Amino acid sequence: VPGEFHGLSMFCWVKINSLDRWYNSLFLTDGHEEQEPHWQIMNDGRMFFSVKRPLRSKSEQEKSQQYIFYSKPFWNASLSGKWIMLCTTYDVDQRQVTHYLNGRSIGQEAIPDEHVIDSIKIGPASLCNWSEPMYRTDPHFVVRNLNGSLDEFAIFEGVLSGEEIANLFHAGHPYSSSGN
């Protein structure tokens, strides 16, 4: 994915069979380098979004380069095999990350000042897997393939509003016209 983005919205429909891995990939940049995002689901049913910030000095090498934005747990076994819509927005101007499930916000968190990234780069990336986990070999850490299906994945340059995300859900949901 070429270019740099000031704000970002990631959107998909996903059918999860199980969360049998520690990390379950939705969209992962191959190297997870500076300014690159990772979007996944934890085995406890929370969405995970992070962007690596650039190091500002050599002394910062000891500090974490990423801050992880978690949603509250949204998935449990009762949703196994059912299509759900997920979206996460990264809003530099408002300095917040918001997670959505089926068109509704399920969590919003301020971006700490030291972790604000003015522009996001993507480059080579993978859906539902992690093609290049660098030098890590621990399968508990590097195996991140999603046990399920993903459809209608989209990245939007900029931040979609809550209303736009709800409209995407209603337009794509197979039962939205019948009121279910």
Side-chain angles (χ1 to χ4, degrees):
V1 178
E4 291 192 24
F5 309 95
H6 183 68
L8 186 69
S9 299
M10 297 179 128
F11 161 91
C12 69
W13 284 88
V14 64
K15 180 171 59 172
I16 302 166
N17 297 327
S18 69
L19 297 177
D20 54 352
R21 310 206 186 311
W22 189 15
Y23 298 107
N24 301 270
S25 169
L26 295 170
F27 180 87
L28 300 179
T29 52
D30 286 352
H32 199 212
E33 302 295 330
E34 292 178 354
Q35 296 175 269
E36 294 182 347
H38 265 186
W39 189 37
Q40 49 203 337
I41 304 168
M42 301 300 294
N43 64 348
D44 63 2
R46 296 176 295 161
M47 261 187 282
F48 167 123
F49 181 81
S50 69
V51 179
K52 261 196 183 167
R53 69 174 173 81
L55 289 173
R56 293 176 175 96
S57 69
K58 288 191 181 231
S59 65
E60 283 195 336
Q61 288 180 352
E62 300 295 319
K63 296 179 183 179
S64 174
Q65 281 185 267
Q66 68 180 8
Y67 182 87
I68 300 169
F69 301 91
Y70 292 107
S71 72
K72 66 181 184 180
F74 69 90
W75 193 88
N76 60 52
S78 73
L79 293 174
S80 181
K82 296 179 182 176
W83 286 102
I84 57 175
M85 190 199 90
L86 302 177
C87 184
T88 295
T89 62
Y90 184 88
D91 189 335
V92 173
D93 294 332
Q94 298 297 314
R95 294 186 174 227
Q96 64 188 17
V97 170
T98 306
H99 296 287
Y100 295 85
L101 170 67
N102 293 337
R104 294 186 181 140
S105 173
I106 60 167
Q108 190 173 63
E109 187 174 349
I111 302 170
D113 289 342
E114 65 272 13
H115 288 279
V116 172
I117 307 296
D118 288 333
S119 64
I120 296 171
K121 298 187 300 186
I122 296 176
S126 301
L127 294 172
C128 301
N129 203 352
W130 195 15
S131 297
E132 199 175 314
M134 308 242 326
Y135 54 86
R136 304 293 288 262
T137 58
D138 174 12
H140 185 68
F141 182 80
V142 300
V143 176
R144 297 184 183 206
N145 54 306
L146 179 71
N147 185 349
S149 302
L150 183 111
D151 198 13
E152 297 183 28
F153 176 83
I155 298 174
F156 296 90
E157 180 177 359
V159 179
L160 296 175
S161 70
E163 182 179 350
E164 290 170 316
I165 293 165
N167 288 341
L168 284 170
F169 170 72
H170 292 296
H173 192 274
Y175 304 110
S176 63
S177 62
S178 66
N180 291 332

